[in-house]
C-alpha cells in the first residue's frame, strides 16, 4: 500500500499483526524554503532558461514546490504541455478536474512567473497536464543532463531489457539533484493513500534516490541508438518506500502514460 504519513505504521501494527505489509510513503510537497541555497540554485537554473525551462527545475502551486517534468505530448495533435506531479495541487493527488485553471508557477529572479494553467489531473498516474501561457514553451530537455535532449520514452520491453542488463536509470530533481539507481520493476501496482490504486508503475533506485520536492521529475537513460545525442524517459517519479525490506522509488512508467492516455 501507499501512504502519505509514516505514522500509519502504528495503525498497521494494531490491525495486521503478523501479516506482511509493503508500505510506500508518498513524497510530501514542501513549502518553498527560500533560505535553502539548494532550492534557490534550482530556481536560478530556471531563470536562465526561461521562457523554456528544462525538466528538473523547481515549479510551484501556491507556496508549495515540486519538480518540473519535460514536455508532455498529445499523440493526437502533437500539442505540448507542461507537467509535474498531480499531488502538488493538493488532495493527495486525487484531483482530476477540481484544480482546472490553477496556475503552475516558476521562480524567475526574485519574482514568480506563471508557466501555464491546469487542464486536468490524472489521479491514477499522479500526473498533471498544464497548458502553457505567457509565451512559455514546454521543453524536451533535462537540466544538467549530458546529453539532455529527450527524444522519446522506453517501452515496457525496453525497460525490462535495461533491467536485465543492470543498466541504471538517472534522475535530476529540484532538491536531490542528479541520482542514479537500478530498475527493480517495470509494470507494478501501488495504491495511493488507500483511495486510488495506480498501475503501470516503474520502481527503481532506493529511498535516497529522491526526496521531498523531487516529485514530478523523470527517470531517464541514454537512447541506445543515439547515446551521444539523446535520452529516453523511463517514467515520472512521485513516491518512495521506507518500510523495512523495501527500498525504491515509485512512479508511473512512460509506456503506461502513452498506452493508457495517449
Amino acid at each position: 500500500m501507499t501512504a502519505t504519513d509514516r505514522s500509519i505504521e502504528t495503525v498497521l501494527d494494531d490491525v495486521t499483526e503478523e501479516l506482511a505489509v509493503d508500505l510506500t510513503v508518498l513524497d510530501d510537497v514542501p513549502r518553498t524554503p527560500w533560505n535553502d541555497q539548494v532550492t534557490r540554485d534550482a530556481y536560478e537554473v530556471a531563470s536562465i532558461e526561461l521562457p523554456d525551462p528544462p525538466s528538473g527545475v523547481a515549479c510551484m502551486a501556491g507556496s508549495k514546490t515540486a519538480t518540473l517534468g519535460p514536455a508532455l505530448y498529445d499523440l493526437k495533435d502533437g500539442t505540448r504541455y507542461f507537467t509535474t506531479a498531480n499531488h502538488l495541487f493538493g488532495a493527495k493527488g486525487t484531483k482530476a478536474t477540481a484544480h482546472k485553471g490553477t496556475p503552475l508557477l516558476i521562480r524567475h529572479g526574485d519574482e514568480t512567473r506563471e508557466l501555464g494553467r491546469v487542464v486536468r489531473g490524472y489521479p491514477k498516474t499522479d500526473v498533471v497536464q498544464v497548458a502553457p501561457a505567457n509565451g512559455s514553451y514546454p521543453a524536451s530537455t533535462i537540466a544538467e543532463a549530458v546529453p539532455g535532449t529527450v527524444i522519446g520514452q522506453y517501452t515496457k520491453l525496453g525497460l525490462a531489457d535495461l533491467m536485465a542488463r543492470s543498466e541504471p536509470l538517472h534522475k535530476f530533481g529540484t532538491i536531490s539533484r542528479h541520482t542514479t539507481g537500478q530498475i527493480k520493476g517495470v509494470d507494478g501496482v501501488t495504491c495511493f493513500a488507500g483511495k486510488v490504486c495506480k498501475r503501470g508503475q516503474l520502481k527503481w533506485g532506493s529511498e535516497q534516490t529522491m526526496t521531498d520536492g523531487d516529485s514530478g521529475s523523470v527517470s531517464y537513460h541514454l537512447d541506445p541508438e543515439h547515446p551521444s545525442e539523446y535520452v529516453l524517459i523511463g517514467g515520472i517519479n512521485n513516491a518512495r518506500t521506507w518500510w523495512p525490506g523495501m527500498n525504491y522509488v515509485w512512479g508511473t512508467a512512460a509506456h503506461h502514460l502513452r498506452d493508457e492516455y495517449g
Side-chain angles (χ1 to χ4, degrees):
M1 66 175 294
T2 302
T4 56
D5 189 339
R6 297 189 181 192
S7 64
I8 191 67
E9 179 184 16
T10 302
V11 178
L12 290 176
D13 285 342
D14 293 338
V15 299
T16 62
E17 296 182 345
E18 297 181 357
L19 180 66
V21 177
D22 175 2
L23 179 66
T24 297
V25 176
L26 180 70
D27 179 24
D28 288 333
V29 180
R31 292 188 176 276
T32 307
W34 296 116
N35 59 347
D36 186 315
Q37 188 59 47
V38 173
T39 303
R40 293 191 67 86
D41 288 347
Y43 282 114
E44 286 306 309
V45 173
S47 69
I48 293 171
E49 299 293 336
L50 282 171
D52 307 328
S55 170
V57 301
C59 56
M60 300 181 295
S63 62
K64 296 185 177 181
T65 63
T67 298
L68 190 68
L72 182 69
Y73 289 81
D74 186 325
L75 289 180
K76 293 180 180 179
D77 57 16
T79 301
R80 292 187 180 201
Y81 296 90
F82 288 109
T83 189
T84 186
N86 196 41
H87 70 258
L88 172 64
F89 295 88
K92 305 302 183 185
T94 60
K95 292 182 177 181
T97 58
H99 54 330
K100 183 176 181 179
T102 302
L104 178 67
L105 308 173
I106 199 164
R107 191 71 176 173
H108 188 207
D110 292 328
E111 300 178 348
T112 56
R113 171 172 174 164
E114 182 181 318
L115 283 181
R117 301 215 166 207
V118 173
V119 175
R120 67 159 293 173
Y122 295 87
K124 291 185 179 180
T125 58
D126 197 10
V127 171
V128 67
Q129 183 180 10
V130 178
N134 301 321
S136 296
Y137 190 66
S140 293
T141 56
I142 299 175
E144 298 187 24
V146 180
T149 301
V150 178
I151 194 65
Q153 80 285 316
Y154 274 96
T155 63
K156 182 164 61 175
L157 182 60
L159 288 173
D161 178 66
L162 290 180
M163 181 177 175
R165 293 188 290 111
S166 297
E167 287 286 329
L169 291 177
H170 297 253
K171 178 224 89 228
F172 188 84
T174 295
I175 305 301
S176 63
R177 317 295 273 187
H178 178 247
T179 57
T180 63
Q182 298 295 318
I183 301 173
K184 300 177 179 179
V186 302
D187 192 17
V189 178
T190 188
C191 292
F192 193 115
K195 295 180 180 180
V196 182
C197 289
K198 300 182 291 184
R199 299 183 179 276
Q201 295 287 288
L202 170 64
K203 63 178 184 178
W204 68 286
S206 69
E207 296 170 20
Q208 289 72 43
T209 304
M210 68 178 288
T211 190
D212 296 351
D214 289 338
S215 284
S217 63
V218 291
S219 57
Y220 62 93
H221 188 276
L222 296 176
D223 174 11
E225 295 184 0
H226 305 93
S228 64
E229 300 178 72
Y230 305 116
V231 297
L232 298 176
I233 299 301
I236 188 166
N237 306 306
N238 55 48
R240 65 195 185 282
T241 63
W242 70 274
W243 195 265
M246 300 290 112
N247 190 15
Y248 42 79
V249 168
W250 281 98
T252 301
H255 67 77
H256 184 77
L257 283 174
R258 179 187 175 100
D259 294 344
E260 292 296 316
Y261 301 102

